[in-house]
Amino acid sequence: MKLTHTPDSGHQWSPIGIFDSGYGGLTILDAIRQRLPQYDYLYLGDNARAPYGPRSFDVVYEFTRQAVRHLFEQGCQLVILGCNTASAKALRTIQQHDLPQWDAERRVLGVIRPTAEVIGELTVSRHVGIFATEGTIRSESYRLEIAKLWPDICVTGVACPFWVPLVEYNEADTPGADYFVKKRIDQLLAADPLIDAVILGCTHYPLLLPKIRRYMPAGIKIIPQGEYVAHSLADYLHRHTALSARCSQGGTTHYLTTENPSRFSEQAQIFLRQPVSVDHVNLE
């Protein structure tokens, strides 16, 4: 595939791509950069077509496929789906069907597997909760992935449809957010009072952590994905040295959005605590 965009960075640019339907993947990017600051990164947010949560499997697959292909065209050798819905609904098909046709040497990874791999070490009661979007919960991806690795763990999922808008409209710290956060925590613990660990299965949810901690009973572990995805990626690159060597290491990050760049820049500051410059892209 042809490299269509090379920033003026003085080195061959072959970044690690990170894709999300919106802004939540920025929490994954932030954690990965803290762990692996030496690599170049290209973030793509399909903000114009977000949210993905309520969309069908076919639509999420097609949108994700378009995004991954675009990131490959920009020179990415490795793409992380920093979106739970895309990981749940599109990752397997892209890995099995599209990658062999596009380039068998490139890789696409998701955010569900890394969390599933560690959850068995984080629960004593073997009862785990999942907060996620409606699409991720309906896919049962977490339950199925955890069952492969830890068949003794009981998984209970609750969809939190209002949590993403609370974050994206910068309402996460307001009193109004308390009602929606407490309601879902109460719902989850009523469904299974034995839960002692809860996975935040949406990349927006770490911004609600102060509220979640306020209403979550003491002794229940709250598990954001970022650090586990970053750890898993570092291990993956250590084990796949040829792929790692093809990823450029200039310490740069560039941003693309299908929406208004000014709006993206404003929202990105909520997630990254710093201003960013962003370019517009059309995936259709």
Side-chain angles (χ1 to χ4, degrees):
M1 291 184 178
K2 188 173 80 170
L3 182 64
T4 59
H5 175 67
T6 306
D8 297 327
S9 52
H11 63 278
Q12 178 61 40
W13 196 63
S14 183
I16 294 173
I18 297 178
F19 168 69
D20 186 24
S21 58
Y23 303 100
L26 293 169
T27 63
I28 300 296
L29 169 66
D30 195 32
I32 289 174
R33 284 194 307 187
Q34 289 183 41
R35 183 67 181 256
L36 299 164
Q38 69 271 31
Y39 289 95
D40 293 309
Y41 297 96
L42 179 60
Y43 183 91
L44 169 56
D46 190 11
N47 308 87
R49 301 187 293 193
Y52 279 15
R55 295 187 182 273
S56 70
F57 274 74
D58 289 345
V59 170
V60 171
Y61 162 64
E62 183 55 34
F63 286 0
T64 306
R65 183 180 181 275
Q66 291 171 358
V68 171
R69 186 170 180 88
H70 184 82
L71 287 167
F72 279 176
E73 289 171 350
Q74 302 308 301
C76 296
Q77 301 294 312
L78 168 65
V79 172
I80 310 297
L81 302 186
C83 171
N84 284 270
T85 303
S87 296
K89 295 184 175 182
L91 176 62
R92 187 173 300 275
T93 306
I94 288 174
Q95 287 175 331
Q96 294 179 351
H97 179 265
D98 296 305
L99 274 181
Q101 298 181 36
W102 290 345
D103 186 340
E105 297 298 312
R106 303 201 195 196
R107 293 289 180 268
V108 181
L109 306 175
V111 292
I112 292 175
R113 177 83 182 191
T115 319
E117 287 175 344
V118 299
I119 192 62
E121 302 163 10
L122 301 174
T123 172
V124 175
S125 71
R126 316 311 279 175
H127 288 252
V128 170
I130 311 287
F131 287 134
T133 65
E134 181 183 350
T136 299
I137 295 296
R138 193 185 298 124
S139 75
E140 296 201 322
S141 294
Y142 273 99
R143 185 183 65 79
L144 294 170
E145 202 66 43
I146 290 171
K148 292 177 195 173
L149 302 165
W150 313 98
D152 62 319
I153 291 180
C154 175
V155 178
T156 302
V158 166
C160 307
F162 294 103
W163 286 19
V164 168
L166 283 172
V167 171
E168 295 207 346
Y169 286 99
N170 207 12
E171 298 286 327
D173 294 328
T174 65
D178 290 62
Y179 168 80
F180 294 103
V181 170
K182 184 177 185 300
K183 179 179 180 180
R184 298 308 176 191
I185 290 174
D186 291 346
Q187 180 184 346
L188 179 66
L189 297 180
D192 185 354
L194 297 179
I195 286 170
D196 70 348
V198 177
I199 295 171
L200 303 187
C202 173
T203 52
H204 282 69
Y205 296 175
L207 276 78
L208 288 163
L209 266 172
K211 301 287 191 191
I212 295 170
R213 289 193 175 111
R214 179 181 301 175
Y215 295 106
M216 191 72 74
I220 296 181
K221 296 185 183 70
I222 304 167
I223 304 163
Q225 295 173 291
E227 65 180 281
Y228 299 104
V229 173
H231 175 80
S232 179
L233 177 59
D235 178 66
Y236 186 89
L237 291 170
H238 178 73
R239 289 184 289 109
H240 296 80
T241 53
L243 177 64
S244 175
R246 295 199 304 273
C247 298
S248 58
Q249 298 191 23
T252 67
T253 306
H254 294 265
Y255 301 87
L256 301 173
T257 179
T258 57
E259 243 287 9
N260 182 289
S262 297
R263 172 167 168 72
F264 183 95
S265 296
E266 290 176 14
Q267 292 292 110
Q269 290 193 57
I270 298 172
F271 292 85
L272 297 176
R273 304 167 301 280
Q274 64 183 46
V276 302
S277 60
V278 59
D279 294 317
H280 178 266
V281 65
N282 184 11
L283 296 179
E284 298 180 70

